[in-house]
Structures are given as structure tokens and as C-alpha cells.
Amino acid sequence: MSKHLLILLLILLSFNLFAEEDFPELEDFWVRAAPPGSMMQAAYGTLTNNTEEDFILIDAYSPAFKMTELHKSVVEDGVAKMIHQPKLVIKAGEQLVFKPGSYHVMLMHPVIKFGVGDSIKINLVYKDGDDKKVQEIWFPIERK
Ligand SMILES: [Cu+2]
């Protein structure tokens, strides 16, 4: 096999590997900075599904927190509450927006110290048939 053909095959193979790891695109993602000692923080961002398949977000976890959950903030009878979301479907071509007062990734009980200017890794877990697939994202800590 010629060297050029080998390189071409490697390039094609790597494109193929990337194709298998298609995920919704995440934009404007951030974690709201919290005062020291805070037990809860939230992550926000917009997930856009530019793929041909539907995505089902079922969980999230972060090495920086003991507990992570997918939540939605709602107001019921004038009372604000957060409801655990066991499954969020992002259909092909659609978006899921995590923003204050709505969907968010709830981050509870930090295990390391961090602040504005740092980034923390959050893994988004999608259902994949009987299996799961994980999208790793580094979220910047921001004050806004
Ligand atoms: Cu919450």
C-alpha cells in the first residue's frame, strides 16, 4: 500500500469516528458563579440537534460535584419549585434551552473549589438504544 493511500484511509477513518460521536451542538454554555460555601449551582446553555436522529438526554454528571440532576424551574400557584427531569427529548432539528427560570443542570455539593475564570467538566448522558453515550463539555464559570 502506498504511503498516500494509507494517509487517505486514516483520514477517512478518523472522519468516520467523529461521525459516530455526533452530538447536539452546545452554545452559550456557562455555570453561574456562586458565593463560597454554596451547595447548589446551575449550568445553562443551548443544545441544538443538527443531526438526523432524535436525542434523549437522561442524566448529567460532573467530577466537580457529588450530585447532578436535570431540572426545570416552574411556578405553581405562586410557588417556585424545581422539578427533576428524568428524560428530555431533543428531536432532529430542534433545540433545548437551559436558562435561568427554566431548564438547567443542577449541580449540588461541590467537591473542589473553583471560581470565575475556571471551567468545570459536565458530562451529558444520552440514551443510546439499550446503552448510553456521553458528551463531555467544559463549562466556564461566569458571573452574569
Ligand atoms: Cu434545580
Side-chain angles (χ1 to χ4, degrees), residues 39-127:
M39 284 294 119
M40 281 212 252
Q41 273 172 274
Y44 306 106
T46 299
L47 278 169
T48 304
N49 184 358
N50 290 320
T51 74
E52 306 279 295
E53 52 172 331
D54 295 352
F55 274 81
I56 305 169
L57 186 60
I58 51 170
D59 202 4
Y61 63 93
S62 169
F65 292 86
K66 265 193 210 148
M67 264 182 83
T68 304
E69 283 181 1
L70 301 170
H71 281 182
K72 187 183 186 186
S73 293
V74 295
V75 178
E76 270 174 27
D77 301 323
V79 180
K81 40 178 123 170
M82 299 195 286
I83 299 169
H84 178 226
Q85 306 289 307
K87 154 176 142 171
L88 293 168
V89 179
I90 316 166
K91 292 213 161 102
E94 294 191 354
Q95 280 188 332
L96 172 63
V97 182
F98 291 93
K99 60 181 182 190
S102 179
Y103 293 106
H104 56 275
V105 181
M106 190 95 253
L107 306 161
M108 291 163 280
H109 303 284
V111 292
I112 54 167
K113 280 195 174 143
F114 46 78
V116 175
D118 294 330
S119 289
I120 54 166
K121 186 163 82 172
I122 299 175
N123 301 289
L124 299 177
V125 184
Y126 298 92
K127 188 170 159 46

